[in-house]
Each structure stands twice: as structure tokens, then as C-alpha cells.
């Protein structure tokens, strides 16, 4: 193995374990704390390669990440390392195939189809994404007359969030409402009934949502025989981004690998920022105590991304937290020039001046040879970049924004996949309803009659030939029935079916969307993607669990330029890096967010969120502190701006590592700042206590 690329701590993590007398390589539970930019992926890839070189069968390695793309990249890196090793030793190498890699959800999907019968599950279930799950909840809200109540009942998305939080945190609904959704507490009984009906309807339709995949796997592991069989399948399990796991995911690992042997988890508690998805930072903090006394903890501290000045700021910020593994990152590049470039705290009057500062600096850096794509603007909430986007357009600066519409959320993509999902599972009413309403002349009432008719005929698509649709639907009806019926015959041929689906859908695409010529590219992409899968079920499951990110709906003039500025929410920026980083609205109310100030645990997650933003920067970092900034929620109160107090995270010790300035520079002529931010912050905090 080419260990020149590894430092001392990385080598310890990679080689941890031993070969037994019978030639098997085994290891005790291992936790690798990998700080930002410390070569986490490189270390994990070398760890996987080390296992293979020491005789571990790749078929017996379970590799789980939080995206299929990350898993694929990890596998490719591992293969390159092994090829290089064998080439150096002039040895022949056979092909390497990791059969078990992917996300927790994709692995759960495969195992449930294999072992679900022990729980009374059919292997022919359909997975619905969050949009479809919310739509199903909305249908049930109407059935229970909750949408017509005299008081405002929570929206479908809020209901789904509550349900998801209960499942993934394994906490009772009453507690979740009290702690996370207090404005919904009065609806406890109604929500219980809604969720009961939601669960029943999914069972009737042989449908699982994202949360069900983990929940069913969790309870599947309670079956001792099944858990033993799964344990025998794998000698080693490697888990990336362990700080992002929830209680179900950590519980699954503990149930299947009770002694922790062969378990390697990698993560960074300082990058745990997904509590809104029920991620529990305690999973990584408590990992060693779960496997006492055998667990080993190795910390990676050498940062290969940022200058020492940026790391000094990060280290100080995290050191003021009472939680987490204490570690100080240091840069492998100690050049004096870079070390002297302190991060900047830029004070501006409002969001307009904030935008002007960024435009000026971005163009200035571009003239100095830093491409726009090497610069990024990060923000707490998506709307924070609204004013900036206007200024970028005025100055003809192309940009791409991350954190918006996802591929499977595009209407035309959902249309096409609904046809495939209905073919795969005739009981899947959400997809069936969407497909039927695409056809001219078929409304909600007609669609429900058709679905009732189909159910009466045991979900045999060919029976629909006997149904009489509205006259205006006749031109499409026979084609649809023929397409669906063919999928239930012995002549069904995947992936040729996707070509037939595309041919059926194309006229509907042209009829329903004015920009169909743009959207048609996505349809072709879906069809081409389907050719890579061995079955309709595998295609639908994998696409639902880990969808692409590009869509024709996002096409704009920015994409025509070969260089563009990056705008991104901090959550979407995790794992990325740029030479120059600008962080918007670094003020109390955003860092920390105003809704987190009542909980010490939430405050610490906000600290970690700011730290994630800071550690995306490689060379130059700009934290921008506006006196006031626009918030759209204030519009209804007749006030578009709120005043921002100095962030409580910017303590004197933290500010020691920051160079403070004002923009525009004319403010330097003022002997004292117009506003004493420290005093303003103290007043603001005192007022809060009255609430």
C-alpha cells in the first residue's frame, strides 16, 4: 500500500486489527474522529484496501455512506489503491466487486426484500419519497375532515415531519410535540388517528416510506435468526459520516454487531448539523462506551485544506463548547504568507451593502486569478441570498445556487416515474392517481372510480379494458391500458419498458408543459439511467433512495457560462471546499438561529454549523455582520428588516483570531462604531428573558 500519502494517525486507523491463527483478519470496534479536511475519505479508502489486501472477501464487507455517490467514490478510490499496491509488488489482481455498498436506506431495502417475510412483509413493496408520503398524508387529512376544522390543522409537510421525528428518535408523539412542535400540541389526538391511518394505508398499498425502511430493519434485527444470518454475511462494516446517524441507525448496528467486532465508523462530532433529520450527535460521542473495553478511538488532526489562520479560528470556536471530542487541527502548510491572512469580520450597514461587498471582492479576486467556481457564498437559510442574487444579476456575474429543487421533485420526472411505480405495484394509489389525472378528461372523481374498479378485479390491469372512461380520455385510454397490462404478462421486458413508458408519456409532456423541449432532456436521462439496472424494482428503489440532483427546471443562463459563483446553504455545502468563502448574516438570530436559543443542545449545534461554514475555506474567509437584514417573514408585520446583534459565538477570544473591518471603508473615519454591538446584544438577551 502506498503509505506515503498517509500520516501517522491515518496509518494507525488504516492498519488497526490483526490476522488470527487461521488467517482471518479481525478487528475490535474502531472510531476514527476525522476533523474537517483531515483526509477522511482517503483514510477510509485505505482502510477498505487494507482489509482486502489482508484477505477479506469484498463480498463480506458492508460499506455504508449517506449517498450512493459517496459510496461509489469510496469504492473507486479503494480499487485504485489496491491496483497501485499490486502493481508495485508486480502481482496479478482479479476484479474487485463490493456487492454491499450504499446508504442505510438502500441496504435496508435489499435486506427487507430478502428477509421481510419473517415479519409478514411482501417482498414486492414500493418505496415512496417524501413528496409522495406528504401527498398521502394530505389525502388522509381530507378523509378525516381535518383540513376543514374550525382551527388551523398542521399542513401535510409538518405532519410528515412530526411523524418522521417520532419514528427516527423513537420518542412518543406527545413528547415530540411538546419539545419540537409546541404549536401543534392541541392536535395530539387527531395526529395519533392520522398517523394510525397513514400506517394502515401504507400496509394496504404495500408501500414503505424512508422512515419505514429503517424502522423495519431495526425490528427485523430483533429476530435472532435473521440478525445472526445478516451478521454471518459480513466480516467488516465501514460506516462514513457516523455523526449523522439517528437512534434507529445506531441501534441497527448495535443489534447486528453486538460486540462491535469488525465495525469501523468514521465521523466528526464537530460536523453534526442534522438534528432536524433526527441525527444524534450522542451516537458518535457514546460509541466508545457502547463497546467497553475493546473500542479504539483514533483522532485525525492534520488538516490538508485550510490555512492555519482559519484553523485557529475554528479551534477557538469549538474549544468554547462543553461537548465533543477535544481536538486541535493544524495545517500541513505553514507558509508564513498564508498564515498571516486572518479571517475577516466585515461590518456592514445592511444586506445591500453586504451584497455590494461580495460583488466587489469576488470580481477583485477573479482579476487576481481566482475563478468564480473557486469562490462560494454560504448562508444559514436559502432566502438570505435574495438581495445578493439581484446584485449578481445586475453585475452580470453568473452563479449557481445549491439547496433548491431536487431532480425527483420536478413535475415531469414525477409523472414519468409514477407510471413505472404503478406498473411495479398496482396497489400504489398515489402513483396511479397522478398518472390518471395526466389524461385529458379524467379528474379526481373519475380516477377514484377507476381505482375502485381495479381493486374489485384483484388489481389486474387487463380488467381496465372493461371500464368506460370519459369520452375525452379515449385517445389515451387504450394505450395506457395496453402499457399497464403488458407489464403483468410473461412478455414484460425490462428495461425496454422504459422506452414504452417514454413513448406513451411524450405527448402528455408536450400537452402539459410549455417548456417541454427543456424537460424532454430529463426524460431521456431517466430512460438512459434505467438501462443500468437489472429490474424495474431495483431501478425505482435506487432512484427513489438516492436521486440525481440535476433537472431541466434548474436550467438558466448561469449554466451557459464555463465559470460561475457558488451560492449554497451551509447544510448543502458540507463536504465541499473553496479558496474563498463568504458567510452571510453572522449575527445573533442566525448564528445561533433564534429558534435554538432556548436549548443548550441546539445552541451547540448552531456553533457546529458555523464551524462547518468556516472550515469550507481554504485560503480566505469573510464573515459578514450586517447591522440589519431583510427577513421575508417580517413582511406581514409591515417591517422588512430586523436588526442583528453581535453573534454570541464571537467572544473576545474568538475575535482575537479575526481581523475586523467596515464596509464601505469610509466608516473608518468614524472614531467609534455607530452601534455598540456588545451592549445591543446584552439588551437583546435581557429582553428575551421577559418572554
Amino acid at each position: 500500500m502506498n503509505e506515503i500519502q498517509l500520516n501517522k494517525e491515518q496509518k494507525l486507523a488504516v492498519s488497526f486489527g490483526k490476522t488470527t491463527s487461521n488467517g482471518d483478519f479481525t478487528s475490535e470496534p474502531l472510531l476514527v474522529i476525522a476533523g474537517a479536511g483531515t483526509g477522511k475519505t482517503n483514510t477510509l479508502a485505505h482502510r477498505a484496501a487494507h482489509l482486502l489486501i489482508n484477505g477479506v472477501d469484498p463480498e463480506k464487507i458492508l460499506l455504508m455512506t449517506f449517498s450512493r455517490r459517496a459510496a461509489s467514490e469510496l469504492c473507486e478510490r479503494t480499487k485504485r489503491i489496491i491496483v497501485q499496491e499490486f502493481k508495485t509488488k508486480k502481482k496479478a489482481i482479479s476484479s474487485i466487486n463490493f456487492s454491499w455498498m450504499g446508504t442505510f436506506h438502500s441496504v435496508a431495502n435489499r435486506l427487507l426484500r430478502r428477509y421481510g417475510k419473517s415479519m409478514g412483509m411482501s417482498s414486492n413493496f414500493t418505496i415512496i419519497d417524501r413528496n409522495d408520503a406528504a401527498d398521502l398524508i394530505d389525502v388522509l387529512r381530507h378523509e378525516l375532515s381535518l383540513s376543514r376544522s374550525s382551527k388551523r390543522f398542521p399542513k401535510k409537510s409538518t405532519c410528515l415531519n412530526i411523524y418522521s421525528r417520532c419514528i427516527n428518535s423513537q420518542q412518543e408523539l406527545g413528547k415530540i410535540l411538546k419539545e419540537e412542535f409546541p404549536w401543534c400540541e392541541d392536535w395530539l389526538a387527531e395526529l395519533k388517528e392520522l398517523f394510525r391511518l397513514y400506517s394502515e394505508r401504507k400496509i394496504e398499498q404495500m408501500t414503505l416510506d424512508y422512515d419505514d425502511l429503517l424502522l423495519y430493519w431495526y425490528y427485523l434485527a430483533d429476530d435472532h435468526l435473521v440478525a445472526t444470518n445478516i451478521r454471518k454475511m459480513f466480516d467488516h462494516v465501514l460506516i462514513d459520516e457516523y455523526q449523522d446517524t439517528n437512534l434507529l441507525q445506531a441501534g441497527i448496528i448495535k443489534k447486528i454487531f453486538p460486540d462491535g467486532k469488525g465495525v469501523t465508523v468514521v465521523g466528526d462530532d464537530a460536523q453534526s448539523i442534522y438534528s432536524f433529520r433526527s441525527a444524534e450527535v450522542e451516537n458518535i460521542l457514546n460509541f466508545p462506551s457502547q463497546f467497553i473495553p475493546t473500542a479504539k478511538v483514533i483522532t485525525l488532526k492534520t488538516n490538508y485544506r485550510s490555512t492555519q489562520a482559519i484553523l485557529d479560528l475554528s479551534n477557538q470556536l469549538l474549544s468554547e463548547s462543553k461537548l465533543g471530542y477535544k481536538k486541535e487541527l493544524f495545517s500541513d502548510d505553514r507558509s508564513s504568507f498564508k498564515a498571516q491572512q486572518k479571517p475577516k469580520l466585515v461590518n456592514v450597514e445592511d444586506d445591500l451593502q453586504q451584497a455590494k461587498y461580495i460583488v466587489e471582492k469576488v470580481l477583485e479576486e477573479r482579476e487576481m486569478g481566482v475563478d468564480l467556481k473557486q469562490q462560494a457564498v454560504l448562508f444559514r437559510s436559502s432566502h438570505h441570498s435574495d438581495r445578493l442574487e439581484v446584485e449578481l444579476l445586475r453585475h452580470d456575474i453568473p452563479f449557481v445556487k445549491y439547496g433548491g429543487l431536487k431532480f425527483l421533485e420536478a413535475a415531469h420526472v414525477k409523472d414519468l416515474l409514477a407510471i413505472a411505480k404503478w406498473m411495479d405495484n398496482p396497489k400504489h394509489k398515489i402513483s396511479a392517481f397522478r398518472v390518471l389525472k395526466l389524461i385529458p378528461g379524467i379528474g379526481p372523481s373519475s380516477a377514484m372510480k377507476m381505482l375502485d374498479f381495479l381493486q374489485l378485479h384483484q388489481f389486474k390491469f387487463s380488467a381496465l379494458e372493461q371500464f368506460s372512461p370519459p369520452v375525452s380520455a379515449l385517445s389515451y385510454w387504450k394505450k395506457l391500458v395496453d402499457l399497464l397490462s403488458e407489464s403483468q404478462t410473461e412478455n414484460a421486458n425490462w428495461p425496454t419498458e422504459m422506452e414504452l413508458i417514454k413513448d406513451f408519456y411524450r405527448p402528455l409532456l408536450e400537452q402539459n408543459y410549455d417548456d417541454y423541449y427543456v424537460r424532454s432532456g430529463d426524460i431521456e436521462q431517466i430512460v438512459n439511467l434505467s438501462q443500468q439496472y437489472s429490474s424495474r424494482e431495483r431501478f425505482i428503489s435506487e432512484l427513489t433512495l438516492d436521486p440525481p440532483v440535476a433537472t431541466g427546471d434548474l436550467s438558466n443562463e448561469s449554466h451557459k457560462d464555463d465559470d460561475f459563483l457558488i451560492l449554497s446553504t451551509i447544510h448543502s455545502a458540507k463536504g465541499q471546499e473553496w479558496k474563498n468563502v463568504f458567510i452571510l448574516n453572522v449575527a445573533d438570530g442566525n448564528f445561533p438561529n433564534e429558534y435554538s436559543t432556548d436549548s443548550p443542545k441546539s445552541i451547540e449545534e448552531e456553533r457546529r454549523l458555523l464551524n462547518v461554514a468556516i472550515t469550507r475555506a481554504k485560503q480566505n474567509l469573510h464573515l459578514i455582520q450586517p447591522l440589519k437584514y431583510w427577513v421575508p417573514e417580517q413582511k406581514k408585520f409591515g417591517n422588512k428588516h430586523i436588526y442583528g446583534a453581535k453573534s454570541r459565538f464571537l467572544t473576545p477570544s474568538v475575535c482575537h483570531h479575526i481581523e475586523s473591518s467596515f464596509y464601505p471603508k469610509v466608516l473608518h473615519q468614524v472614531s467609534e462604531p455607530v452601534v455598540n454591538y456588545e451592549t445591543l446584544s446584552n439588551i437583546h438577551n435581557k429582553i428575551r428573558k421577559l418572554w
Side-chain angles (χ1 to χ4, degrees):
M1 188 180 302
N2 185 6
E3 293 188 335
I4 297 176
Q5 302 175 18
L6 302 176
N7 60 42
K8 179 181 176 181
E9 291 78 17
Q10 289 174 327
K11 290 178 182 178
L12 287 173
V14 166
S15 60
F16 181 73
K18 61 183 179 180
T19 302
T20 62
S21 57
N22 60 3
D24 294 332
F25 186 84
T26 184
S27 72
E28 300 298 337
L30 172 64
L31 167 62
V32 181
I33 298 296
T38 57
K40 169 179 65 69
T41 304
N42 188 41
T43 303
L44 198 56
H46 275 84
R47 172 71 173 167
H50 185 78
L51 295 178
L52 297 177
I53 290 171
N54 281 273
V56 178
D57 185 348
E59 301 280 336
K60 303 204 73 174
I61 296 177
L62 173 59
L63 197 160
M64 289 192 289
T65 66
F66 276 77
S67 75
R68 185 177 58 189
R69 195 172 300 104
S72 298
E73 179 187 349
L74 189 56
C75 289
E76 290 304 313
R77 282 203 191 191
T78 301
K79 291 176 183 178
R80 289 198 298 268
I81 293 168
I82 293 176
V83 168
Q84 182 181 10
E85 171 70 8
F86 277 68
K87 185 177 180 181
T88 302
K89 295 183 177 180
K90 297 182 179 180
K91 292 183 177 180
I93 182 173
S94 57
S95 61
I96 302 169
N97 180 35
F98 289 94
S99 298
W100 289 89
M101 70 169 190
T103 65
F104 268 91
H105 293 87
S106 65
V107 172
N109 170 52
R110 293 177 63 185
L111 291 174
L112 288 173
R113 293 187 190 276
R114 177 179 295 191
Y115 294 109
K117 290 182 180 179
S118 66
M119 303 171 64
M121 285 181 57
S122 168
S123 62
N124 188 30
F125 59 80
T126 296
I127 303 171
I128 56 174
D129 60 21
R130 291 191 65 82
N131 290 317
D132 285 343
D135 287 343
L136 177 55
I137 282 180
D138 204 30
V139 170
L140 301 178
R141 287 170 76 248
H142 290 292
E143 285 187 17
L144 295 172
S145 300
L146 296 173
S147 58
R148 296 187 294 275
S149 60
S150 58
K151 293 173 62 180
R152 182 172 56 95
F153 190 75
K155 291 183 177 181
K156 61 180 182 180
S157 57
T158 303
C159 292
L160 182 60
N161 287 337
I162 294 171
Y163 175 84
S164 182
R165 192 66 64 91
C166 289
I167 296 297
N168 288 297
S169 67
Q170 289 291 282
Q171 293 182 354
E172 293 183 355
L173 176 58
K175 183 177 181 181
I176 291 295
L177 293 180
K178 183 178 181 179
E179 295 181 356
E180 305 288 343
F181 302 89
W183 61 94
C184 302
E185 278 192 277
D186 291 343
W187 296 106
L188 175 61
E190 290 81 358
L191 286 169
K192 282 185 176 181
E193 177 63 15
L194 175 63
F195 295 157
R196 182 194 64 77
L197 191 57
Y198 175 60
S199 299
E200 288 181 358
R201 200 60 58 85
K202 285 186 295 179
I203 293 174
E204 291 173 3
Q205 299 181 18
M206 292 197 304
T207 296
L208 271 65
D209 61 26
Y210 286 168
D211 302 318
D212 291 332
L213 289 170
L214 297 181
L215 183 66
Y216 280 47
W217 186 10
Y218 181 82
Y219 286 116
L220 183 67
D222 283 335
D223 186 315
H224 178 71
L225 180 60
V226 172
T228 301
N229 287 337
I230 296 176
R231 178 67 184 90
K232 289 179 179 178
M233 291 171 60
F234 308 112
D235 290 334
H236 293 269
V237 54
L238 307 180
I239 306 174
D240 195 11
E241 305 288 6
Y242 195 69
Q243 77 279 350
D244 294 334
T245 55
N246 58 39
L247 289 178
L248 284 179
Q249 291 162 327
I252 287 167
I253 298 303
K254 181 65 175 175
K255 286 183 176 184
I256 298 177
F257 303 90
D259 58 3
K261 287 188 180 298
V263 175
T264 297
V265 302
V266 181
D268 181 12
D269 56 294
Q271 297 186 65
S272 179
I273 57 175
Y274 291 107
S275 66
F276 64 93
R277 295 180 188 169
S278 299
E280 289 283 350
V281 68
E282 285 80 6
N283 287 345
I284 195 168
L285 296 178
N286 297 336
F287 183 87
S289 61
Q290 282 189 329
F291 301 108
I292 290 175
T294 58
K296 174 75 171 178
V297 180
I298 297 175
T299 303
L300 308 183
K301 298 180 180 179
T302 305
N303 179 285
Y304 298 93
R305 175 189 298 159
S306 306
T307 65
Q308 189 60 47
I310 293 172
L311 296 181
D312 287 343
L313 174 61
S314 169
N315 291 336
Q316 183 60 44
L317 177 67
L318 293 180
S319 72
E320 298 182 6
S321 170
K322 297 179 180 179
L323 298 175
Y325 294 94
K326 298 303 178 184
K327 55 185 179 296
E328 263 198 36
L329 302 182
F330 58 90
S331 174
D332 71 324
D333 186 348
R334 299 300 189 107
S335 64
S336 58
F337 174 78
K338 290 182 179 179
Q340 292 174 0
Q341 305 303 303
K342 276 189 175 184
K344 296 178 175 59
L345 176 64
V346 184
N347 297 274
V348 297
E349 181 180 355
D350 54 25
D351 47 358
L352 175 59
Q353 294 300 323
Q354 180 173 241
K356 287 183 175 181
Y357 173 80
I358 290 173
V359 167
E360 180 181 307
K361 289 299 178 182
V362 162
L363 292 177
E364 183 181 298
E365 289 292 327
R366 181 174 177 271
E367 290 303 311
M368 297 176 64
V370 181
D371 291 341
L372 294 177
K373 284 190 288 189
Q374 294 178 307
Q375 305 183 65
V377 182
L378 307 182
F379 30 87
R380 181 67 175 76
S381 301
S382 183
H383 67 263
H384 287 171
S385 66
D386 290 350
R387 191 60 180 266
L388 173 61
E389 291 174 41
V390 173
E391 287 300 304
L392 292 173
L393 290 172
R394 285 185 63 242
H395 289 81
D396 196 27
I397 300 176
F399 64 89
V400 173
K401 185 174 180 179
Y402 294 95
L405 186 68
K406 301 297 188 297
F407 187 81
L408 293 190
E409 294 173 3
H412 56 295
V413 175
K414 290 178 70 68
D415 292 343
L416 189 79
L417 291 179
I419 302 173
K421 288 179 179 179
W422 193 18
M423 292 168 68
D424 195 60
N425 181 0
K427 297 181 180 180
H428 193 220
K429 285 190 176 181
I430 292 294
S431 293
F433 203 68
R434 186 181 188 96
V435 173
L436 291 172
K437 289 199 299 179
L438 286 172
I439 298 176
I442 297 182
S445 179
S446 298
M448 289 306 300
K449 289 179 181 178
M450 293 173 187
L451 295 179
D452 290 341
F453 182 86
L454 184 63
Q455 184 172 356
L456 285 173
H457 291 79
Q458 288 73 50
F459 298 98
K460 295 293 183 182
F461 287 130
S462 57
L464 291 174
E465 295 176 358
Q466 305 168 30
F467 186 87
S468 299
V471 175
S472 54
L474 287 174
S475 60
Y476 286 99
W477 183 249
K478 188 177 186 308
K479 295 177 182 177
L480 176 61
V481 173
D482 289 345
L483 178 66
L484 296 172
S485 299
E486 185 73 11
S487 69
Q488 291 183 327
T489 68
E490 295 180 356
N491 298 325
N493 182 11
W494 179 264
T496 306
E497 284 178 344
M498 281 304 297
E499 289 287 349
L500 299 176
I501 293 174
K502 180 190 73 174
D503 293 341
F504 169 77
Y505 178 65
R506 187 180 295 280
L508 293 170
L509 175 71
E510 295 179 4
Q511 181 173 313
N512 291 319
Y513 301 101
D514 293 335
D515 58 344
Y516 67 87
Y517 51 90
V518 175
R519 298 172 186 260
S520 62
D522 294 330
I523 302 304
E524 293 294 339
Q525 183 180 349
I526 285 284
V527 174
N528 292 336
L529 189 63
S530 70
Q531 312 301 308
Q532 302 174 19
Y533 295 88
S534 58
S535 68
R536 188 197 309 126
E537 173 274 314
R538 191 70 183 269
F539 165 68
I540 293 171
S541 297
E542 291 295 329
L543 195 65
T544 303
L545 292 172
D546 193 15
V549 294
T551 169
D553 279 354
L554 294 180
S555 297
N556 57 42
E557 296 300 314
S558 302
H559 291 76
K560 296 180 180 179
D561 202 302
D562 63 350
D563 190 23
F564 43 81
L565 182 67
I566 306 298
L567 308 185
S568 176
T569 62
I570 299 172
H571 287 94
S572 296
K574 189 167 171 286
Q576 304 299 315
E577 59 182 44
W578 297 274
K579 281 188 176 180
N580 297 340
V581 169
F582 302 83
I583 307 177
L584 300 186
N585 297 341
V586 182
D588 245 45
N590 287 317
F591 297 101
N593 182 273
E594 59 182 320
Y595 298 113
S596 68
T597 53
D598 291 333
S599 165
K601 184 177 179 180
S602 297
I603 287 285
E604 290 311 313
E605 177 161 339
E606 293 294 309
R607 182 191 304 275
R608 297 193 295 268
L609 187 67
L610 177 58
N611 184 67
V612 166
I614 288 171
T615 53
R616 299 312 95 196
K618 297 166 69 176
Q619 294 182 4
N620 295 304
L621 174 64
H622 306 252
L623 292 80
I624 310 178
Q625 179 177 266
L627 173 61
K628 61 181 180 179
Y629 52 89
W630 184 73
V631 176
E633 287 81 3
Q634 299 294 315
K635 205 169 184 179
K636 58 188 175 185
F637 299 114
N639 181 7
K640 294 184 179 180
H641 286 86
I642 63 173
Y643 288 87
K646 183 176 181 179
S647 170
R648 67 193 69 188
F649 295 143
L650 299 182
T651 63
S653 298
V654 170
C655 288
H656 176 73
H657 300 284
I658 298 174
E659 178 184 315
S660 185
S661 64
F662 293 88
Y663 181 87
K665 291 182 179 179
V666 67
L667 292 180
H668 281 301
Q669 298 174 4
V670 182
S671 58
E672 293 291 335
V674 176
V675 176
N676 187 320
Y677 289 99
E678 198 69 48
T679 301
L680 186 61
S681 179
N682 290 335
I683 294 173
H684 187 65
N685 291 333
K686 288 178 181 179
I687 293 174
R688 275 182 177 161
K689 294 179 180 179
L690 300 177
W691 301 338

